[in-house]
PDB file of all heavy atoms in Angstrom:
ATOM      1  N   GLY A1216     -61.086 -62.618 -35.925  1.00 97.00           N
ATOM      2  CA  GLY A1216     -62.207 -62.249 -36.784  1.00 97.00           C
ATOM      3  C   GLY A1216     -62.253 -63.191 -37.994  1.00 97.00           C
ATOM      4  O   GLY A1216     -61.212 -63.609 -38.495  1.00 97.00           O
ATOM      5  N   GLN A1305     -53.971 -54.080 -37.013  1.00 98.00           N
ATOM      6  CA  GLN A1305     -55.248 -53.418 -37.277  1.00 98.00           C
ATOM      7  C   GLN A1305     -56.370 -54.308 -36.742  1.00 98.00           C
ATOM      8  O   GLN A1305     -56.361 -55.517 -37.015  1.00 98.00           O
ATOM      9  CB  GLN A1305     -55.487 -53.387 -38.785  1.00 98.00           C
ATOM     10  CG  GLN A1305     -55.041 -52.146 -39.507  1.00 98.00           C
ATOM     11  CD  GLN A1305     -55.388 -52.296 -40.992  1.00 98.00           C
ATOM     12  OE1 GLN A1305     -55.068 -53.312 -41.616  1.00 98.00           O
ATOM     13  NE2 GLN A1305     -56.018 -51.303 -41.526  1.00 98.00           N
ATOM     14  N   PHE A1306     -57.320 -53.719 -36.025  1.00 98.00           N
ATOM     15  CA  PHE A1306     -58.549 -54.454 -35.699  1.00 98.00           C
ATOM     16  C   PHE A1306     -59.472 -54.276 -36.906  1.00 98.00           C
ATOM     17  O   PHE A1306     -59.833 -53.145 -37.248  1.00 98.00           O
ATOM     18  CB  PHE A1306     -59.191 -53.903 -34.415  1.00 98.00           C
ATOM     19  CG  PHE A1306     -60.430 -54.656 -34.017  1.00 98.00           C
ATOM     20  CD1 PHE A1306     -60.346 -55.923 -33.463  1.00 98.00           C
ATOM     21  CD2 PHE A1306     -61.698 -54.108 -34.224  1.00 98.00           C
ATOM     22  CE1 PHE A1306     -61.486 -56.635 -33.100  1.00 98.00           C
ATOM     23  CE2 PHE A1306     -62.836 -54.816 -33.858  1.00 98.00           C
ATOM     24  CZ  PHE A1306     -62.724 -56.076 -33.298  1.00 98.00           C
ATOM     25  N   ILE A1307     -59.838 -55.343 -37.569  1.00 98.00           N
ATOM     26  CA  ILE A1307     -60.623 -55.240 -38.803  1.00 98.00           C
ATOM     27  C   ILE A1307     -62.112 -55.219 -38.452  1.00 98.00           C
ATOM     28  O   ILE A1307     -62.652 -56.203 -37.949  1.00 98.00           O
ATOM     29  CB  ILE A1307     -60.323 -56.416 -39.775  1.00 98.00           C
ATOM     30  CG1 ILE A1307     -58.812 -56.565 -40.006  1.00 98.00           C
ATOM     31  CG2 ILE A1307     -61.074 -56.218 -41.107  1.00 98.00           C
ATOM     32  CD1 ILE A1307     -58.111 -55.429 -40.697  1.00 98.00           C
ATOM     33  N   GLU A1327     -56.235 -61.713 -37.252  1.00 98.00           N
ATOM     34  CA  GLU A1327     -55.968 -61.316 -35.861  1.00 98.00           C
ATOM     35  C   GLU A1327     -54.723 -60.441 -35.868  1.00 98.00           C
ATOM     36  O   GLU A1327     -54.357 -59.931 -36.928  1.00 98.00           O
ATOM     37  CB  GLU A1327     -55.866 -62.555 -34.962  1.00 98.00           C
ATOM     38  CG  GLU A1327     -55.151 -63.764 -35.535  1.00 98.00           C
ATOM     39  CD  GLU A1327     -53.664 -63.644 -35.458  1.00 98.00           C
ATOM     40  OE1 GLU A1327     -53.070 -62.758 -36.108  1.00 98.00           O
ATOM     41  OE2 GLU A1327     -53.044 -64.487 -34.795  1.00 98.00           O
ATOM     42  N   MET A1328     -54.097 -60.245 -34.706  1.00 98.00           N
ATOM     43  CA  MET A1328     -53.062 -59.217 -34.645  1.00 98.00           C
ATOM     44  C   MET A1328     -51.703 -59.699 -34.138  1.00 98.00           C
ATOM     45  O   MET A1328     -50.807 -58.898 -33.914  1.00 98.00           O
ATOM     46  CB  MET A1328     -53.571 -58.052 -33.787  1.00 98.00           C
ATOM     47  CG  MET A1328     -54.846 -57.450 -34.344  1.00 98.00           C
ATOM     48  SD  MET A1328     -55.591 -56.154 -33.329  1.00 98.00           S
ATOM     49  CE  MET A1328     -54.392 -54.847 -33.496  1.00 98.00           C
ATOM     50  N   GLU A1329     -51.519 -61.007 -33.953  1.00 98.00           N
ATOM     51  CA  GLU A1329     -50.249 -61.473 -33.356  1.00 98.00           C
ATOM     52  C   GLU A1329     -49.611 -62.694 -34.020  1.00 98.00           C
ATOM     53  O   GLU A1329     -48.375 -62.807 -34.065  1.00 98.00           O
ATOM     54  CB  GLU A1329     -50.477 -61.822 -31.862  1.00 98.00           C
ATOM     55  CG  GLU A1329     -50.916 -60.672 -30.980  1.00 98.00           C
ATOM     56  CD  GLU A1329     -52.429 -60.452 -30.986  1.00 98.00           C
ATOM     57  OE1 GLU A1329     -53.160 -61.370 -31.422  1.00 98.00           O
ATOM     58  OE2 GLU A1329     -52.869 -59.367 -30.573  1.00 98.00           O
ATOM     59  N   ARG A1348     -57.510 -70.436 -32.407  1.00 97.00           N
ATOM     60  CA  ARG A1348     -58.313 -69.270 -32.001  1.00 97.00           C
ATOM     61  C   ARG A1348     -59.780 -69.563 -32.241  1.00 97.00           C
ATOM     62  O   ARG A1348     -60.136 -70.304 -33.149  1.00 97.00           O
ATOM     63  CB  ARG A1348     -57.940 -68.051 -32.839  1.00 97.00           C
ATOM     64  CG  ARG A1348     -56.508 -67.595 -32.643  1.00 97.00           C
ATOM     65  CD  ARG A1348     -56.453 -66.119 -32.675  1.00 97.00           C
ATOM     66  NE  ARG A1348     -55.112 -65.600 -32.663  1.00 97.00           N
ATOM     67  CZ  ARG A1348     -54.762 -64.495 -32.001  1.00 97.00           C
ATOM     68  NH1 ARG A1348     -55.654 -63.815 -31.305  1.00 97.00           N
ATOM     69  NH2 ARG A1348     -53.519 -64.053 -32.044  1.00 97.00           N
ATOM     70  N   ASP A1352     -65.877 -62.665 -34.085  1.00 94.00           N
ATOM     71  CA  ASP A1352     -66.580 -61.651 -34.875  1.00 94.00           C
ATOM     72  C   ASP A1352     -66.326 -61.910 -36.346  1.00 94.00           C
ATOM     73  O   ASP A1352     -65.490 -62.747 -36.699  1.00 94.00           O
ATOM     74  CB  ASP A1352     -66.078 -60.253 -34.477  1.00 94.00           C
ATOM     75  CG  ASP A1352     -64.593 -60.105 -34.723  1.00 94.00           C
ATOM     76  OD1 ASP A1352     -64.209 -59.760 -35.848  1.00 94.00           O
ATOM     77  OD2 ASP A1352     -63.795 -60.357 -33.801  1.00 94.00           O
ATOM     78  N   PHE A1362     -67.180 -58.874 -30.768  1.00 87.00           N
ATOM     79  CA  PHE A1362     -65.887 -59.186 -30.151  1.00 87.00           C
ATOM     80  C   PHE A1362     -65.975 -59.029 -28.633  1.00 87.00           C
ATOM     81  O   PHE A1362     -65.599 -59.931 -27.884  1.00 87.00           O
ATOM     82  CB  PHE A1362     -64.807 -58.258 -30.740  1.00 87.00           C
ATOM     83  CG  PHE A1362     -63.533 -58.250 -29.965  1.00 87.00           C
ATOM     84  CD1 PHE A1362     -62.580 -59.238 -30.147  1.00 87.00           C
ATOM     85  CD2 PHE A1362     -63.294 -57.256 -29.026  1.00 87.00           C
ATOM     86  CE1 PHE A1362     -61.411 -59.238 -29.412  1.00 87.00           C
ATOM     87  CE2 PHE A1362     -62.125 -57.242 -28.284  1.00 87.00           C
ATOM     88  CZ  PHE A1362     -61.179 -58.237 -28.494  1.00 87.00           C
TER      89      PHE A1362
HETATM   90  N1  SAH B 502     -60.383 -52.953 -27.170  1.00 68.98           N
HETATM   91  C1  SAH B 502     -59.901 -54.308 -27.204  1.00 68.98           C
HETATM   92  C2  SAH B 502     -58.862 -54.439 -28.267  1.00 68.98           C
HETATM   93  C3  SAH B 502     -58.719 -55.835 -28.721  1.00 68.98           C
HETATM   94  S1  SAH B 502     -57.894 -55.946 -30.236  1.00 68.98           S
HETATM   95  C4  SAH B 502     -59.461 -54.726 -25.830  1.00 68.98           C
HETATM   96  O1  SAH B 502     -58.361 -54.381 -25.385  1.00 68.98           O
HETATM   97  O2  SAH B 502     -60.237 -55.386 -25.157  1.00 68.98           O
HETATM   98  C5  SAH B 502     -58.483 -57.506 -30.763  1.00 68.98           C
HETATM   99  C6  SAH B 502     -57.758 -58.718 -30.277  1.00 68.98           C
HETATM  100  O3  SAH B 502     -58.474 -59.872 -30.682  1.00 68.98           O
HETATM  101  C7  SAH B 502     -56.375 -58.872 -30.878  1.00 68.98           C
HETATM  102  O4  SAH B 502     -55.508 -59.449 -29.934  1.00 68.98           O
HETATM  103  C8  SAH B 502     -56.609 -59.751 -32.119  1.00 68.98           C
HETATM  104  O5  SAH B 502     -55.617 -60.745 -32.242  1.00 68.98           O
HETATM  105  C9  SAH B 502     -57.975 -60.397 -31.921  1.00 68.98           C
HETATM  106  N2  SAH B 502     -59.030 -60.085 -32.905  1.00 68.98           N
HETATM  107  C10 SAH B 502     -60.318 -60.506 -32.770  1.00 68.98           C
HETATM  108  N3  SAH B 502     -61.078 -60.055 -33.790  1.00 68.98           N
HETATM  109  C11 SAH B 502     -60.264 -59.337 -34.614  1.00 68.98           C
HETATM  110  C12 SAH B 502     -60.487 -58.590 -35.811  1.00 68.98           C
HETATM  111  N4  SAH B 502     -61.701 -58.485 -36.354  1.00 68.98           N
HETATM  112  N5  SAH B 502     -59.417 -57.954 -36.378  1.00 68.98           N
HETATM  113  C13 SAH B 502     -58.197 -58.062 -35.814  1.00 68.98           C
HETATM  114  N6  SAH B 502     -57.936 -58.720 -34.671  1.00 68.98           N
HETATM  115  C14 SAH B 502     -58.950 -59.367 -34.051  1.00 68.98           C
END
Side-chain angles (χ1 to χ4, degrees):
Q1305 266 181 310
F1306 182 74
I1307 309 295
E1327 40 80 295
M1328 301 175 69
E1329 298 85 16
R1348 296 217 187 218
D1352 60 86
F1362 166 82

